[in-house]
Amino acid sequence: MKKKNKKILYIEDDPDARALMADIIRHQGYTYLEASRGLEGIRLAKLHKPDLILIDLMLPDMQGSEVTTHLKSLPELHDIPIIALTGASSQNVREYVLTAGCDGYISKPINIKEFLFKLEEFLAGKREFVPPEYEKEFLQRYNVELVERLKRKVSELESLNKNLSRLNADLIASREELANYNDLLFYLNSLANYLRTLNDPQRLLKILPEQIVEGFHLDRCVIFRHDPHKGVIKPCSFFGEFEHAPEGAVLPFSDQLLQLVREEGGLLWIKDHHQLVEESLQDIGSFFNTSSFVISYLQELGRHNVQHLQKEETDEDFDPGIAIDERYVIYLDKHTRQKNFATYEIRIFKSFFQTVAIIYENMQLFNRLKYLYKIKSEEAIRDGLTNLYNYRFFIRELKKEVARTKRYKTPFSLLMIDIDYFKEYNDLHGHVEGDNVLKTISRLLELNTRQTDVVARYGGEEFAIILPAITKKKALPLAEKLRSLVKVYPFPDKVHRVPCRLTISIGIAGCPEDSKDHVELVRMADAALYEAKQTGRDKVCLYQG
Ligand code: GH3
Ligand code: MG
Ligand code: MG
């Protein structure tokens, strides 16, 4: 092997000595490596695997002998010759370096010629003679080192193993948690779907506590109605085991507590008594005999969603106040099970209650819409003054009746009614009194006909009545009855201070007798009415074709 391929590592803390050695060794064509500390020397030896190591006995961090013993204990470096550079050549030093595992030593100060000669010898494989007793001692040191290393390895492995078992336990726990989480999510989803099918908000609040307690494995759930003016909450629905019956309980709920809940986004989780800083919270905790519970404010959770909506989708006139007008507080705990909530459960509750808030809001809006729709559709078919059916509805019903007659051959009659000399009454008593007469006559007509008859205000002081399943002939006595009822009715007469008498005239046409066309029928009943007017009023006339 060529010299220049040989690597020599020098471990020495004295920079001058290193500089000198660098010169000598490089000059000979060897590759020179150097370290100023023991640990650095070990690192370089492992990294470069030199052909020979020169070591000083006194190093700042370790003894040269310790470095040597360590290097010799590593199988991959075991065969590298290590030569100690000693300041003295006494027997003690010689014994010292050889028992440390050195393969030889060179005394300092060095004689370059002699040094190079020895270097060549050591590189060529020569080793200092080690007396058996030294070797025995070295082997003992070496064994001690080995045992130490083994111990260290074992303890490293042990701690690694401990970490692994901890990791494994964590994994099992998170697997269980994940399974629970999954179960809860599944339950939550089906419960939310079920709640969506209800359309009564009060029913939703009534069944919610039981569903929550059973599904989420809790002890108790109470829904309170919040009265912000009095600063109290009162139970309106609950389920679970209670030490004090919640009915009739009135618990405080201060503005500060509401603020706390608001800051937490609508759901406050009290983990232990340290958190019971607020007086209302202390009272709630002592009522339920627990210091670990959850309070959720339905309106806050709902508002949270509405605000979100408001920003993105609605105009400025949108009033989130209409969403939930009742304020509800949901309380839950699992105190008697001696268990605390897990963070994932709280997250699930929050998203669940948000869903409940949305469902609750939607139900309220839906019911309001239904109510408005009912009012509006009634309004659309009723006359504003008399509350009788209006002209539009009358025509629709008339068409239907005509169609029914055509199909089932069932007859019906149509009455056209007009108040006699109503203009005079109006002129004498004024429009307000005239309106009252219209209302009174409307009631008389309504009360004295059947539920299935359609009594409508045709316009002005004219009325129309559809009498299903009644022939023209049978309609006559009924019309006569209506006429006489009006005739005897004492309408107010403020001018003469005596009851005023008013009369009506009625014209009757029959379907299918007179016509099977609704426009024709109206015209015919009108013609009969005209005849009644012409022949003296306060009369009933049948259409005569
Ligand atoms: P006739 O016996 O020929 O029917 O005489 P009349 O005065 O009843 O008939 P006319 O058609 O001349 O007048 C109808 C009057 O009904 C005119 C109007 O003052 C009155 N009228 C119509 N609609 C209303 C209403 O909604 N309120 C009031 N107060 N009066 C009404
Ligand atoms: Mg009239
Ligand atoms: Mg008229």
Side-chain angles (χ1 to χ4, degrees), residues 417-422 425 437 441 461 463 482-489 491 500-506 529 532-533 536-539:
I417 305 170
D418 187 287
I419 307 174
D420 299 328
Y421 303 120
F422 190 52
Y425 185 91
V437 168
I441 292 182
E461 28 78 88
F463 305 92
L482 295 175
R483 185 189 61 80
S484 24
L485 278 170
V486 172
K487 187 175 180 165
V488 297
Y489 192 87
F491 292 95
C500 166
R501 301 293 166 188
L502 281 166
T503 56
I504 53 174
S505 297
I506 303 177
L529 172 62
K533 289 275 181 192
R537 296 182 168 79
D538 187 21
K539 272 182 89 168

PDB file of all heavy atoms in Angstrom, residues 417-422 425 437 441 461 463 482-489 491 500-506 529 532-533 536-539:
ATOM      1  N   ILE A 417    -128.844  39.032  -4.289  1.00  0.00           N
ATOM      2  CA  ILE A 417    -129.570  39.819  -3.284  1.00  0.00           C
ATOM      3  C   ILE A 417    -129.121  41.278  -3.347  1.00  0.00           C
ATOM      4  O   ILE A 417    -127.918  41.555  -3.416  1.00  0.00           O
ATOM      5  CB  ILE A 417    -129.308  39.251  -1.871  1.00  0.00           C
ATOM      6  CG1 ILE A 417    -129.659  37.760  -1.832  1.00  0.00           C
ATOM      7  CG2 ILE A 417    -130.078  40.027  -0.813  1.00  0.00           C
ATOM      8  CD1 ILE A 417    -129.231  37.046  -0.573  1.00  0.00           C
ATOM      9  N   ASP A 418    -130.045  42.216  -3.278  1.00  0.00           N
ATOM     10  CA  ASP A 418    -129.680  43.638  -3.294  1.00  0.00           C
ATOM     11  C   ASP A 418    -130.526  44.361  -2.232  1.00  0.00           C
ATOM     12  O   ASP A 418    -131.723  44.100  -2.092  1.00  0.00           O
ATOM     13  CB  ASP A 418    -129.947  44.228  -4.683  1.00  0.00           C
ATOM     14  CG  ASP A 418    -129.435  45.651  -4.818  1.00  0.00           C
ATOM     15  OD1 ASP A 418    -130.072  46.572  -4.219  1.00  0.00           O
ATOM     16  OD2 ASP A 418    -128.396  45.849  -5.486  1.00  0.00           O
ATOM     17  N   ILE A 419    -129.867  45.249  -1.473  1.00  0.00           N
ATOM     18  CA  ILE A 419    -130.607  46.000  -0.445  1.00  0.00           C
ATOM     19  C   ILE A 419    -131.449  47.082  -1.143  1.00  0.00           C
ATOM     20  O   ILE A 419    -130.948  47.769  -2.040  1.00  0.00           O
ATOM     21  CB  ILE A 419    -129.651  46.658   0.570  1.00  0.00           C
ATOM     22  CG1 ILE A 419    -128.697  45.592   1.153  1.00  0.00           C
ATOM     23  CG2 ILE A 419    -130.416  47.348   1.685  1.00  0.00           C
ATOM     24  CD1 ILE A 419    -127.616  46.136   2.048  1.00  0.00           C
ATOM     25  N   ASP A 420    -132.676  47.219  -0.670  1.00  0.00           N
ATOM     26  CA  ASP A 420    -133.573  48.205  -1.299  1.00  0.00           C
ATOM     27  C   ASP A 420    -133.295  49.601  -0.742  1.00  0.00           C
ATOM     28  O   ASP A 420    -133.124  49.769   0.470  1.00  0.00           O
ATOM     29  CB  ASP A 420    -135.037  47.835  -1.017  1.00  0.00           C
ATOM     30  CG  ASP A 420    -135.374  46.452  -1.598  1.00  0.00           C
ATOM     31  OD1 ASP A 420    -134.788  46.091  -2.649  1.00  0.00           O
ATOM     32  OD2 ASP A 420    -136.174  45.725  -0.971  1.00  0.00           O
ATOM     33  N   TYR A 421    -133.304  50.536  -1.634  1.00  0.00           N
ATOM     34  CA  TYR A 421    -133.110  51.955  -1.284  1.00  0.00           C
ATOM     35  C   TYR A 421    -131.954  52.177  -0.298  1.00  0.00           C
ATOM     36  O   TYR A 421    -132.071  52.955   0.646  1.00  0.00           O
ATOM     37  CB  TYR A 421    -134.414  52.535  -0.690  1.00  0.00           C
ATOM     38  CG  TYR A 421    -135.587  52.385  -1.615  1.00  0.00           C
ATOM     39  CD1 TYR A 421    -136.709  51.649  -1.213  1.00  0.00           C
ATOM     40  CD2 TYR A 421    -135.572  52.982  -2.877  1.00  0.00           C
ATOM     41  CE1 TYR A 421    -137.804  51.495  -2.049  1.00  0.00           C
ATOM     42  CE2 TYR A 421    -136.673  52.829  -3.729  1.00  0.00           C
ATOM     43  CZ  TYR A 421    -137.774  52.087  -3.314  1.00  0.00           C
ATOM     44  OH  TYR A 421    -138.844  51.927  -4.147  1.00  0.00           O
ATOM     45  N   PHE A 422    -130.902  51.522  -0.556  1.00  0.00           N
ATOM     46  CA  PHE A 422    -129.762  51.622   0.388  1.00  0.00           C
ATOM     47  C   PHE A 422    -129.083  52.992   0.304  1.00  0.00           C
ATOM     48  O   PHE A 422    -128.519  53.495   1.267  1.00  0.00           O
ATOM     49  CB  PHE A 422    -128.748  50.500   0.124  1.00  0.00           C
ATOM     50  CG  PHE A 422    -127.696  50.389   1.180  1.00  0.00           C
ATOM     51  CD1 PHE A 422    -128.044  50.297   2.533  1.00  0.00           C
ATOM     52  CD2 PHE A 422    -126.340  50.392   0.860  1.00  0.00           C
ATOM     53  CE1 PHE A 422    -127.068  50.204   3.508  1.00  0.00           C
ATOM     54  CE2 PHE A 422    -125.360  50.306   1.837  1.00  0.00           C
ATOM     55  CZ  PHE A 422    -125.726  50.198   3.168  1.00  0.00           C
ATOM     56  N   TYR A 425    -130.570  55.284   2.821  1.00  0.00           N
ATOM     57  CA  TYR A 425    -130.074  55.007   4.186  1.00  0.00           C
ATOM     58  C   TYR A 425    -128.684  55.623   4.370  1.00  0.00           C
ATOM     59  O   TYR A 425    -128.399  56.281   5.365  1.00  0.00           O
ATOM     60  CB  TYR A 425    -130.026  53.503   4.467  1.00  0.00           C
ATOM     61  CG  TYR A 425    -129.632  53.172   5.890  1.00  0.00           C
ATOM     62  CD1 TYR A 425    -130.593  53.028   6.888  1.00  0.00           C
ATOM     63  CD2 TYR A 425    -128.287  53.012   6.247  1.00  0.00           C
ATOM     64  CE1 TYR A 425    -130.239  52.756   8.195  1.00  0.00           C
ATOM     65  CE2 TYR A 425    -127.914  52.735   7.546  1.00  0.00           C
ATOM     66  CZ  TYR A 425    -128.898  52.600   8.520  1.00  0.00           C
ATOM     67  OH  TYR A 425    -128.531  52.327   9.818  1.00  0.00           O
ATOM     68  N   VAL A 437    -124.692  48.295   8.493  1.00  0.00           N
ATOM     69  CA  VAL A 437    -125.842  47.558   7.952  1.00  0.00           C
ATOM     70  C   VAL A 437    -125.339  46.410   7.065  1.00  0.00           C
ATOM     71  O   VAL A 437    -125.833  45.280   7.163  1.00  0.00           O
ATOM     72  CB  VAL A 437    -126.756  48.521   7.144  1.00  0.00           C
ATOM     73  CG1 VAL A 437    -127.777  47.727   6.330  1.00  0.00           C
ATOM     74  CG2 VAL A 437    -127.461  49.484   8.082  1.00  0.00           C
ATOM     75  N   ILE A 441    -126.360  42.580   7.819  1.00  0.00           N
ATOM     76  CA  ILE A 441    -127.064  41.728   6.840  1.00  0.00           C
ATOM     77  C   ILE A 441    -126.191  40.522   6.469  1.00  0.00           C
ATOM     78  O   ILE A 441    -126.690  39.392   6.340  1.00  0.00           O
ATOM     79  CB  ILE A 441    -127.483  42.554   5.606  1.00  0.00           C
ATOM     80  CG1 ILE A 441    -128.575  43.536   6.035  1.00  0.00           C
ATOM     81  CG2 ILE A 441    -127.971  41.659   4.466  1.00  0.00           C
ATOM     82  CD1 ILE A 441    -129.146  44.400   4.942  1.00  0.00           C
ATOM     83  N   GLU A 461    -123.756  46.901  -2.354  1.00  0.00           N
ATOM     84  CA  GLU A 461    -124.739  46.362  -1.407  1.00  0.00           C
ATOM     85  C   GLU A 461    -125.458  45.167  -2.014  1.00  0.00           C
ATOM     86  O   GLU A 461    -126.617  44.927  -1.740  1.00  0.00           O
ATOM     87  CB  GLU A 461    -125.720  47.446  -0.935  1.00  0.00           C
ATOM     88  CG  GLU A 461    -125.950  48.569  -1.928  1.00  0.00           C
ATOM     89  CD  GLU A 461    -126.895  48.177  -3.063  1.00  0.00           C
ATOM     90  OE1 GLU A 461    -128.117  48.330  -2.937  1.00  0.00           O
ATOM     91  OE2 GLU A 461    -126.345  47.690  -4.088  1.00  0.00           O
ATOM     92  N   PHE A 463    -125.325  40.923  -2.710  1.00  0.00           N
ATOM     93  CA  PHE A 463    -124.764  39.657  -2.221  1.00  0.00           C
ATOM     94  C   PHE A 463    -125.164  38.526  -3.157  1.00  0.00           C
ATOM     95  O   PHE A 463    -126.152  38.654  -3.889  1.00  0.00           O
ATOM     96  CB  PHE A 463    -125.294  39.343  -0.820  1.00  0.00           C
ATOM     97  CG  PHE A 463    -125.056  40.462   0.160  1.00  0.00           C
ATOM     98  CD1 PHE A 463    -126.025  41.452   0.355  1.00  0.00           C
ATOM     99  CD2 PHE A 463    -123.876  40.545   0.867  1.00  0.00           C
ATOM    100  CE1 PHE A 463    -125.805  42.489   1.248  1.00  0.00           C
ATOM    101  CE2 PHE A 463    -123.648  41.576   1.764  1.00  0.00           C
ATOM    102  CZ  PHE A 463    -124.607  42.561   1.962  1.00  0.00           C
ATOM    103  N   LEU A 482    -134.949  34.510   4.312  1.00  0.00           N
ATOM    104  CA  LEU A 482    -133.901  35.530   4.434  1.00  0.00           C
ATOM    105  C   LEU A 482    -134.523  36.929   4.295  1.00  0.00           C
ATOM    106  O   LEU A 482    -134.206  37.848   5.034  1.00  0.00           O
ATOM    107  CB  LEU A 482    -132.814  35.318   3.368  1.00  0.00           C
ATOM    108  CG  LEU A 482    -132.007  34.026   3.493  1.00  0.00           C
ATOM    109  CD1 LEU A 482    -131.035  33.880   2.307  1.00  0.00           C
ATOM    110  CD2 LEU A 482    -131.216  33.988   4.802  1.00  0.00           C
ATOM    111  N   ARG A 483    -135.407  37.030   3.324  1.00  0.00           N
ATOM    112  CA  ARG A 483    -136.056  38.334   3.083  1.00  0.00           C
ATOM    113  C   ARG A 483    -136.806  38.794   4.344  1.00  0.00           C
ATOM    114  O   ARG A 483    -136.638  39.919   4.801  1.00  0.00           O
ATOM    115  CB  ARG A 483    -137.020  38.211   1.905  1.00  0.00           C
ATOM    116  CG  ARG A 483    -137.660  39.511   1.486  1.00  0.00           C
ATOM    117  CD  ARG A 483    -138.767  39.298   0.477  1.00  0.00           C
ATOM    118  NE  ARG A 483    -139.867  38.474   0.998  1.00  0.00           N
ATOM    119  CZ  ARG A 483    -140.844  38.932   1.794  1.00  0.00           C
ATOM    120  NH1 ARG A 483    -140.867  40.208   2.153  1.00  0.00           N
ATOM    121  NH2 ARG A 483    -141.784  38.115   2.235  1.00  0.00           N
ATOM    122  N   SER A 484    -137.588  37.861   4.968  1.00  0.00           N
ATOM    123  CA  SER A 484    -138.363  38.303   6.129  1.00  0.00           C
ATOM    124  C   SER A 484    -137.476  38.577   7.339  1.00  0.00           C
ATOM    125  O   SER A 484    -137.774  39.457   8.146  1.00  0.00           O
ATOM    126  CB  SER A 484    -139.473  37.317   6.481  1.00  0.00           C
ATOM    127  OG  SER A 484    -139.175  36.046   6.013  1.00  0.00           O
ATOM    128  N   LEU A 485    -136.382  37.816   7.447  1.00  0.00           N
ATOM    129  CA  LEU A 485    -135.464  38.059   8.579  1.00  0.00           C
ATOM    130  C   LEU A 485    -134.897  39.477   8.522  1.00  0.00           C
ATOM    131  O   LEU A 485    -134.805  40.158   9.538  1.00  0.00           O
ATOM    132  CB  LEU A 485    -134.301  37.059   8.539  1.00  0.00           C
ATOM    133  CG  LEU A 485    -134.595  35.674   9.139  1.00  0.00           C
ATOM    134  CD1 LEU A 485    -133.444  34.712   8.818  1.00  0.00           C
ATOM    135  CD2 LEU A 485    -134.789  35.780  10.649  1.00  0.00           C
ATOM    136  N   VAL A 486    -134.558  39.903   7.293  1.00  0.00           N
ATOM    137  CA  VAL A 486    -134.008  41.259   7.147  1.00  0.00           C
ATOM    138  C   VAL A 486    -135.105  42.295   7.418  1.00  0.00           C
ATOM    139  O   VAL A 486    -134.888  43.289   8.094  1.00  0.00           O
ATOM    140  CB  VAL A 486    -133.394  41.453   5.739  1.00  0.00           C
ATOM    141  CG1 VAL A 486    -133.004  42.905   5.498  1.00  0.00           C
ATOM    142  CG2 VAL A 486    -132.198  40.535   5.538  1.00  0.00           C
ATOM    143  N   LYS A 487    -136.264  41.979   6.928  1.00  0.00           N
ATOM    144  CA  LYS A 487    -137.377  42.927   7.032  1.00  0.00           C
ATOM    145  C   LYS A 487    -137.726  43.278   8.481  1.00  0.00           C
ATOM    146  O   LYS A 487    -138.071  44.424   8.803  1.00  0.00           O
ATOM    147  CB  LYS A 487    -138.619  42.334   6.341  1.00  0.00           C
ATOM    148  CG  LYS A 487    -139.753  43.303   6.240  1.00  0.00           C
ATOM    149  CD  LYS A 487    -140.895  42.739   5.450  1.00  0.00           C
ATOM    150  CE  LYS A 487    -142.027  43.783   5.386  1.00  0.00           C
ATOM    151  NZ  LYS A 487    -142.969  43.417   4.364  1.00  0.00           N
ATOM    152  N   VAL A 488    -137.627  42.254   9.356  1.00  0.00           N
ATOM    153  CA  VAL A 488    -138.012  42.496  10.756  1.00  0.00           C
ATOM    154  C   VAL A 488    -136.840  42.957  11.618  1.00  0.00           C
ATOM    155  O   VAL A 488    -137.001  43.250  12.790  1.00  0.00           O
ATOM    156  CB  VAL A 488    -138.663  41.248  11.398  1.00  0.00           C
ATOM    157  CG1 VAL A 488    -139.958  40.872  10.682  1.00  0.00           C
ATOM    158  CG2 VAL A 488    -137.691  40.074  11.415  1.00  0.00           C
ATOM    159  N   TYR A 489    -135.681  42.974  11.008  1.00  0.00           N
ATOM    160  CA  TYR A 489    -134.510  43.319  11.834  1.00  0.00           C
ATOM    161  C   TYR A 489    -134.503  44.828  12.161  1.00  0.00           C
ATOM    162  O   TYR A 489    -134.630  45.657  11.250  1.00  0.00           O
ATOM    163  CB  TYR A 489    -133.205  42.957  11.112  1.00  0.00           C
ATOM    164  CG  TYR A 489    -132.012  43.020  12.036  1.00  0.00           C
ATOM    165  CD1 TYR A 489    -131.632  41.930  12.804  1.00  0.00           C
ATOM    166  CD2 TYR A 489    -131.285  44.216  12.166  1.00  0.00           C
ATOM    167  CE1 TYR A 489    -130.569  42.002  13.666  1.00  0.00           C
ATOM    168  CE2 TYR A 489    -130.212  44.297  13.037  1.00  0.00           C
ATOM    169  CZ  TYR A 489    -129.844  43.183  13.786  1.00  0.00           C
ATOM    170  OH  TYR A 489    -128.805  43.265  14.655  1.00  0.00           O
ATOM    171  N   PHE A 491    -132.811  47.838  12.420  1.00  0.00           N
ATOM    172  CA  PHE A 491    -131.549  48.544  12.163  1.00  0.00           C
ATOM    173  C   PHE A 491    -131.582  49.896  12.880  1.00  0.00           C
ATOM    174  O   PHE A 491    -132.658  50.493  13.012  1.00  0.00           O
ATOM    175  CB  PHE A 491    -131.360  48.757  10.651  1.00  0.00           C
ATOM    176  CG  PHE A 491    -131.130  47.480   9.911  1.00  0.00           C
ATOM    177  CD1 PHE A 491    -132.187  46.806   9.293  1.00  0.00           C
ATOM    178  CD2 PHE A 491    -129.846  46.919   9.845  1.00  0.00           C
ATOM    179  CE1 PHE A 491    -131.974  45.618   8.621  1.00  0.00           C
ATOM    180  CE2 PHE A 491    -129.643  45.727   9.170  1.00  0.00           C
ATOM    181  CZ  PHE A 491    -130.701  45.078   8.564  1.00  0.00           C
ATOM    182  N   CYS A 500    -135.023  51.330  12.414  1.00  0.00           N
ATOM    183  CA  CYS A 500    -135.265  51.546  10.990  1.00  0.00           C
ATOM    184  C   CYS A 500    -135.488  50.201  10.324  1.00  0.00           C
ATOM    185  O   CYS A 500    -134.850  49.204  10.683  1.00  0.00           O
ATOM    186  CB  CYS A 500    -134.046  52.256  10.417  1.00  0.00           C
ATOM    187  SG  CYS A 500    -133.971  52.254   8.642  1.00  0.00           S
ATOM    188  N   ARG A 501    -136.371  50.132   9.379  1.00  0.00           N
ATOM    189  CA  ARG A 501    -136.609  48.879   8.670  1.00  0.00           C
ATOM    190  C   ARG A 501    -135.965  48.970   7.305  1.00  0.00           C
ATOM    191  O   ARG A 501    -136.103  49.962   6.604  1.00  0.00           O
ATOM    192  CB  ARG A 501    -138.119  48.617   8.503  1.00  0.00           C
ATOM    193  CG  ARG A 501    -138.875  48.531   9.817  1.00  0.00           C
ATOM    194  CD  ARG A 501    -138.465  47.297  10.633  1.00  0.00           C
ATOM    195  NE  ARG A 501    -138.955  47.448  11.998  1.00  0.00           N
ATOM    196  CZ  ARG A 501    -138.645  46.633  12.992  1.00  0.00           C
ATOM    197  NH1 ARG A 501    -137.835  45.607  12.786  1.00  0.00           N
ATOM    198  NH2 ARG A 501    -139.126  46.822  14.188  1.00  0.00           N
ATOM    199  N   LEU A 502    -135.274  47.907   6.935  1.00  0.00           N
ATOM    200  CA  LEU A 502    -134.669  47.825   5.602  1.00  0.00           C
ATOM    201  C   LEU A 502    -135.129  46.523   4.968  1.00  0.00           C
ATOM    202  O   LEU A 502    -135.389  45.549   5.680  1.00  0.00           O
ATOM    203  CB  LEU A 502    -133.147  47.851   5.693  1.00  0.00           C
ATOM    204  CG  LEU A 502    -132.493  49.223   5.914  1.00  0.00           C
ATOM    205  CD1 LEU A 502    -131.043  49.056   6.320  1.00  0.00           C
ATOM    206  CD2 LEU A 502    -132.579  50.074   4.644  1.00  0.00           C
ATOM    207  N   THR A 503    -135.214  46.540   3.677  1.00  0.00           N
ATOM    208  CA  THR A 503    -135.652  45.307   3.003  1.00  0.00           C
ATOM    209  C   THR A 503    -134.641  44.917   1.928  1.00  0.00           C
ATOM    210  O   THR A 503    -133.804  45.732   1.536  1.00  0.00           O
ATOM    211  CB  THR A 503    -137.037  45.498   2.351  1.00  0.00           C
ATOM    212  OG1 THR A 503    -136.947  46.618   1.454  1.00  0.00           O
ATOM    213  CG2 THR A 503    -138.119  45.719   3.380  1.00  0.00           C
ATOM    214  N   ILE A 504    -134.786  43.682   1.495  1.00  0.00           N
ATOM    215  CA  ILE A 504    -133.924  43.214   0.398  1.00  0.00           C
ATOM    216  C   ILE A 504    -134.788  42.604  -0.703  1.00  0.00           C
ATOM    217  O   ILE A 504    -135.896  42.130  -0.444  1.00  0.00           O
ATOM    218  CB  ILE A 504    -132.889  42.158   0.860  1.00  0.00           C
ATOM    219  CG1 ILE A 504    -133.566  40.992   1.590  1.00  0.00           C
ATOM    220  CG2 ILE A 504    -131.809  42.780   1.725  1.00  0.00           C
ATOM    221  CD1 ILE A 504    -132.616  39.852   1.940  1.00  0.00           C
ATOM    222  N   SER A 505    -134.247  42.635  -1.927  1.00  0.00           N
ATOM    223  CA  SER A 505    -134.893  41.956  -3.055  1.00  0.00           C
ATOM    224  C   SER A 505    -133.977  40.827  -3.491  1.00  0.00           C
ATOM    225  O   SER A 505    -132.741  40.967  -3.441  1.00  0.00           O
ATOM    226  CB  SER A 505    -135.091  42.926  -4.217  1.00  0.00           C
ATOM    227  OG  SER A 505    -135.957  43.968  -3.807  1.00  0.00           O
ATOM    228  N   ILE A 506    -134.601  39.707  -3.901  1.00  0.00           N
ATOM    229  CA  ILE A 506    -133.791  38.529  -4.250  1.00  0.00           C
ATOM    230  C   ILE A 506    -134.226  37.962  -5.604  1.00  0.00           C
ATOM    231  O   ILE A 506    -135.434  37.841  -5.866  1.00  0.00           O
ATOM    232  CB  ILE A 506    -133.933  37.428  -3.180  1.00  0.00           C
ATOM    233  CG1 ILE A 506    -133.541  37.970  -1.795  1.00  0.00           C
ATOM    234  CG2 ILE A 506    -133.092  36.198  -3.529  1.00  0.00           C
ATOM    235  CD1 ILE A 506    -133.723  36.983  -0.659  1.00  0.00           C
ATOM    236  N   LEU A 529    -133.698  39.377 -10.127  1.00  0.00           N
ATOM    237  CA  LEU A 529    -133.571  40.431  -9.104  1.00  0.00           C
ATOM    238  C   LEU A 529    -134.139  41.747  -9.648  1.00  0.00           C
ATOM    239  O   LEU A 529    -134.871  42.460  -8.953  1.00  0.00           O
ATOM    240  CB  LEU A 529    -132.086  40.597  -8.730  1.00  0.00           C
ATOM    241  CG  LEU A 529    -131.725  41.768  -7.825  1.00  0.00           C
ATOM    242  CD1 LEU A 529    -132.417  41.652  -6.461  1.00  0.00           C
ATOM    243  CD2 LEU A 529    -130.199  41.836  -7.605  1.00  0.00           C
ATOM    244  N   ALA A 532    -137.780  41.683  -9.400  1.00  0.00           N
ATOM    245  CA  ALA A 532    -138.243  41.928  -8.033  1.00  0.00           C
ATOM    246  C   ALA A 532    -138.232  43.421  -7.726  1.00  0.00           C
ATOM    247  O   ALA A 532    -139.154  43.950  -7.089  1.00  0.00           O
ATOM    248  CB  ALA A 532    -137.361  41.178  -7.053  1.00  0.00           C
ATOM    249  N   LYS A 533    -137.180  44.101  -8.185  1.00  0.00           N
ATOM    250  CA  LYS A 533    -137.060  45.552  -7.964  1.00  0.00           C
ATOM    251  C   LYS A 533    -138.196  46.276  -8.699  1.00  0.00           C
ATOM    252  O   LYS A 533    -138.845  47.163  -8.140  1.00  0.00           O
ATOM    253  CB  LYS A 533    -135.705  46.056  -8.498  1.00  0.00           C
ATOM    254  CG  LYS A 533    -134.506  45.614  -7.676  1.00  0.00           C
ATOM    255  CD  LYS A 533    -134.249  46.529  -6.516  1.00  0.00           C
ATOM    256  CE  LYS A 533    -133.019  46.033  -5.743  1.00  0.00           C
ATOM    257  NZ  LYS A 533    -132.866  46.706  -4.461  1.00  0.00           N
ATOM    258  N   GLY A 536    -141.884  46.098  -7.184  1.00  0.00           N
ATOM    259  CA  GLY A 536    -142.205  46.590  -5.835  1.00  0.00           C
ATOM    260  C   GLY A 536    -141.139  46.410  -4.767  1.00  0.00           C
ATOM    261  O   GLY A 536    -141.267  46.881  -3.652  1.00  0.00           O
ATOM    262  N   ARG A 537    -140.037  45.726  -5.057  1.00  0.00           N
ATOM    263  CA  ARG A 537    -138.958  45.481  -4.069  1.00  0.00           C
ATOM    264  C   ARG A 537    -139.477  44.636  -2.901  1.00  0.00           C
ATOM    265  O   ARG A 537    -140.621  44.207  -2.902  1.00  0.00           O
ATOM    266  CB  ARG A 537    -138.359  46.798  -3.556  1.00  0.00           C
ATOM    267  CG  ARG A 537    -137.679  47.589  -4.676  1.00  0.00           C
ATOM    268  CD  ARG A 537    -137.037  48.859  -4.165  1.00  0.00           C
ATOM    269  NE  ARG A 537    -136.151  49.450  -5.196  1.00  0.00           N
ATOM    270  CZ  ARG A 537    -136.585  50.156  -6.228  1.00  0.00           C
ATOM    271  NH1 ARG A 537    -137.874  50.363  -6.418  1.00  0.00           N
ATOM    272  NH2 ARG A 537    -135.738  50.656  -7.102  1.00  0.00           N
ATOM    273  N   ASP A 538    -138.560  44.333  -1.883  1.00  0.00           N
ATOM    274  CA  ASP A 538    -138.905  43.456  -0.753  1.00  0.00           C
ATOM    275  C   ASP A 538    -139.611  42.196  -1.274  1.00  0.00           C
ATOM    276  O   ASP A 538    -140.659  41.788  -0.783  1.00  0.00           O
ATOM    277  CB  ASP A 538    -139.813  44.236   0.237  1.00  0.00           C
ATOM    278  CG  ASP A 538    -140.062  43.444   1.511  1.00  0.00           C
ATOM    279  OD1 ASP A 538    -139.247  42.520   1.803  1.00  0.00           O
ATOM    280  OD2 ASP A 538    -141.052  43.721   2.196  1.00  0.00           O
ATOM    281  N   LYS A 539    -138.995  41.625  -2.300  1.00  0.00           N
ATOM    282  CA  LYS A 539    -139.622  40.491  -2.995  1.00  0.00           C
ATOM    283  C   LYS A 539    -138.592  39.446  -3.403  1.00  0.00           C
ATOM    284  O   LYS A 539    -137.409  39.761  -3.532  1.00  0.00           O
ATOM    285  CB  LYS A 539    -140.279  40.974  -4.308  1.00  0.00           C
ATOM    286  CG  LYS A 539    -141.692  41.447  -4.156  1.00  0.00           C
ATOM    287  CD  LYS A 539    -142.231  41.831  -5.504  1.00  0.00           C
ATOM    288  CE  LYS A 539    -142.865  40.615  -6.194  1.00  0.00           C
ATOM    289  NZ  LYS A 539    -143.630  41.062  -7.372  1.00  0.00           N
TER     290      LYS A 539
END
